[in-house]
Amino acid sequence: MADTVAQFEHVISICRDLFVKKLKDYGASWRILRPQSLTDQIFIKAKRIRSIETKGESKIDEGIRSEFIGIVNYGIIGLIQLHLGYADTEDISNDEALALYDKYMTETKTLMYAKNHDYDEAWRSMRISSYTDLILTKVCRTKQIEDNEGKTLVSEGIDANYMDMINYSLFGLIKIEYGEQDD
């Protein structure tokens, strides 16, 4: 499990590093995005991953790795937006945005470590393409919950779906970063 934690921390640091750099470039301009727009952005990224997996090639000089990173970061932004609500302007500092990123990544990571324990690292035997399909399924579920104004009868909410999308993306990044082959 120690290796697993180190791998997760490594890929999370890659995602966080990009988030920090984008904060310096753009500030917290994403504060204007409604959660539905974030769900659609994650959908676009997951569809591109699936397209590359299906076609076996990419005509843009970025592969699926960058899209998984994007899903992680947009998922964290989604969790922040669910908590704060969207704004009409950038209403938080970069330091506040980073503190919120760390808070929601910690919550997501805690959930993932608990599930990883209970499922005995079953994700390692899964194909990266299955992570893609599961992310797309979670996006569809999230869109339905959004259409239902956030109400569910027996299912987990939007926040849990965002956390699952983040964690499936982290699984994919670990397999890409560490060269683990699909089983």
Side-chain angles (χ1 to χ4, degrees), residues 69-128:
I69 292 169
I71 292 170
V72 168
N73 287 341
Y74 278 115
I76 294 293
I77 291 169
L79 292 170
I80 294 169
Q81 295 297 77
L82 287 172
H83 173 73
L84 295 181
Y86 64 91
D88 290 329
T89 61
E90 290 180 46
D91 62 346
I92 60 174
S93 70
N94 287 0
D95 288 340
E96 290 168 316
L98 192 55
L100 288 166
Y101 183 97
D102 291 341
K103 174 185 190 281
Y104 288 103
M105 181 57 82
T106 298
E107 287 180 16
T108 301
K109 187 171 49 172
T110 299
L111 174 67
M112 183 272 307
Y113 287 147
K115 285 184 174 184
N116 196 43
H117 172 272
D118 288 356
Y119 288 96
D120 202 24
E121 297 198 335
W123 64 271
R124 289 200 183 269
S125 297
M126 294 172 63
R127 297 172 186 92
I128 292 175

Side-chain angles (χ1 to χ4, degrees), residues 36-158:
Q36 297 89 335
S37 298
L38 290 160
T39 301
D40 285 343
Q41 186 63 33
I42 293 169
F43 173 74
I44 290 168
K45 295 191 165 302
K47 285 293 283 187
R48 182 164 183 270
I49 293 169
R50 188 181 224 180
S51 173
I52 293 168
E53 290 170 346
T54 302
K55 294 175 185 172
E57 69 174 323
S58 169
K59 292 194 175 190
I60 300 172
D61 193 24
E62 291 181 342
I64 64 173
R65 180 182 182 271
S66 64
E67 301 299 353
F68 277 131
I69 292 169
I71 292 170
V72 168
N73 287 341
Y74 278 115
I76 294 293
I77 291 169
L79 292 170
I80 294 169
Q81 295 297 77
L82 287 172
H83 173 73
L84 295 181
Y86 64 91
D88 290 329
T89 61
E90 290 180 46
D91 62 346
I92 60 174
S93 70
N94 287 0
D95 288 340
E96 290 168 316
L98 192 55
L100 288 166
Y101 183 97
D102 291 341
K103 174 185 190 281
Y104 288 103
M105 181 57 82
T106 298
E107 287 180 16
T108 301
K109 187 171 49 172
T110 299
L111 174 67
M112 183 272 307
Y113 287 147
K115 285 184 174 184
N116 196 43
H117 172 272
D118 288 356
Y119 288 96
D120 202 24
E121 297 198 335
W123 64 271
R124 289 200 183 269
S125 297
M126 294 172 63
R127 297 172 186 92
I128 292 175
S129 59
S130 293
Y131 307 145
T132 306
D133 291 349
L134 289 165
I135 292 167
L136 285 166
T137 300
K138 294 288 182 175
V139 167
C140 290
R141 289 177 180 179
T142 301
K143 286 183 174 192
Q144 184 63 49
I145 296 168
E146 290 167 347
D147 290 347
N148 292 339
E149 299 176 2
K151 295 176 180 76
T152 61
L153 298 176
V154 295
S155 303
E156 48 194 14
I158 293 170

